[in-house]
Amino acid sequence: MTGARVLLTGAAGFIGGHVRGALSDAGFDVVAVDALLPSAHGAGAEPPDGVLRADVRDLPALTALLRGVDVVCHQAAVVGAGVDAGDAPAYASHNDLGTATLLAAMHESGCNRLVLASSMVVYGEGRYRNARGEFVTPAPRRRADLDAGIFDDTDPDTGEPLDWALVKEDSPLRPRSLYAASKVAQENYALAWSLATGGSVTALRYHNVYGDHMPSNTPYSGVAAMFRSALEAGEPPRVFEDGRQTRDFVHVHDVAAANVAAVDRALPGFSAFNVCSGQPVTIGEVAATLARAYGGPAPVVTGEYRPGDVRHIVADPRSAREELGFEARIMPADGIAAFASAPLRTAAAAGPPRV
């Protein structure tokens, strides 16, 4: 579909800016928009060159922008785990109402293709096997165990520690935060729209995204940026639990490539894909790699924890490779080391930022 006209929301943000560049480089005609929320861009921020100011909750504005558009690439969202229950209205307004309004505008304008930025957080907890190789839903982690430094998930029947397994796209969606709840709602609205209109939706479930121009140290930053910010301040990265929590870190350049693949490949109906590197890494390894590459103090494993945190979540990249034609090129060992010297984006305010 090279040459198609693409409406890109959230185009001035961390991920959106990279997606915009990748789409343009691939030959797409990009209509780039962003609401430029003060919490993300600062009070009085002006749009970057080529980006129009528009809020995805503004139905008339969206309907006008969608004239002649073939595909919508929807990156705009309020992001983060949600450090306060008071964040709930922001997530519901910008993420859920915004997506519902966008879908209504697409229906009115006749645009029937959506690429949706989703997230690994829709899964909640990861996938686990017991000692017999059977898939098991772990027992909730008990505060007494966490206080005692016992962090592994356990078999609810035997109490034995469980091993993590790859999370596939057909895994149950069990959101554990306000942000996660809003991302599940976005997917559900998009699925319902697809069924009602015959439109197509490709939902890209980003795993731990990092890379140049990532927002720096705020309560809503990714852990890689928070480790970087600590090193820049001359402090050791603080690693929670025992540092053995396992994740999949995917570079923002690969995330942008996944969006190009999704826009280019017109898959029918509703499809969801893990966007990941396929190379598991522990949080402790991320901190140690950054510290070595930066030349800063070694990480400190604190034993601190957040009760709602997920122990392990590691993605299966197979479906994205086989059905979407996407495969990450930047592996965490190289990308995280390079991230130690990558430029960061200064947070404008303490509120939840847009992607």
Side-chain angles (χ1 to χ4, degrees), residues 49 117 123 132 213 224 287 338:
D49 288 345
Y123 299 118
R132 297 182 297 280
H213 303 296

Side-chain angles (χ1 to χ4, degrees), residues 78-232:
V78 166
V79 304
V83 297
D84 190 294
D87 292 339
Y91 290 118
S93 178
H94 292 283
N95 297 0
D96 304 337
L97 175 61
T99 298
T101 304
L102 174 62
L103 293 169
M106 290 175 68
H107 175 61
E108 186 170 330
S109 65
C111 180
N112 65 358
R113 288 197 56 215
L114 174 69
V115 175
L116 174 66
S118 188
S119 171
M120 60 174 271
V121 298
V122 299
Y123 299 118
E125 188 57 82
R127 200 175 186 213
Y128 296 87
R129 295 180 190 268
N130 61 19
R132 297 182 297 280
E134 302 164 330
F135 289 111
V136 174
T137 299
R141 296 200 293 177
R142 301 185 306 166
R143 188 177 291 272
D145 289 337
L146 297 172
D147 288 338
I150 301 170
F151 301 113
D152 283 323
D153 286 289
T154 57
D155 188 320
D157 295 327
T158 67
E160 296 176 350
L162 299 171
D163 294 324
W164 60 260
L166 295 177
V167 173
K168 299 178 182 292
E169 286 84 353
D170 61 359
S171 297
L173 306 187
R174 295 171 174 158
R176 295 169 57 129
S177 69
L178 299 170
Y179 171 57
S182 75
K183 299 307 285 186
V184 172
Q186 282 186 303
E187 286 201 17
N188 285 337
Y189 274 114
L191 171 60
W193 171 86
S194 174
L195 294 171
T197 66
S200 72
V201 177
T202 302
L204 302 177
R205 293 173 180 165
Y206 303 156
H207 283 252
N208 292 71
V209 185
Y210 70 98
D212 43 301
H213 303 296
M214 188 177 188
S216 59
N217 191 8
T218 81
Y220 303 88
S221 294
V223 68
M226 298 186 79
F227 289 161
R228 250 292 301 276
S229 296
L231 290 165
E232 288 183 343

Side-chain angles (χ1 to χ4, degrees), residues 53-66 97-98 101-102 105:
R53 189 188 298 269
D55 192 312
V56 291
R57 298 167 298 177
D58 185 340
L59 181 60
L62 287 179
T63 303
L65 287 166
L66 280 163
L97 175 61
T101 304
L102 174 62

Side-chain angles (χ1 to χ4, degrees), residues 20 22 79 83 148 247 251 269 306:
R20 180 189 175 202
V79 304
V83 297
R247 300 287 190 272
H251 199 279
R306 289 178 288 256

Side-chain angles (χ1 to χ4, degrees), residues 29 51 92 142 155 190 211 224-225 231 288 295 304 323 330 345 348:
D29 178 16
V51 176
R142 301 185 306 166
D155 188 320
L231 290 165
E304 296 173 86
E323 298 179 45
I330 303 173
R345 181 180 188 172

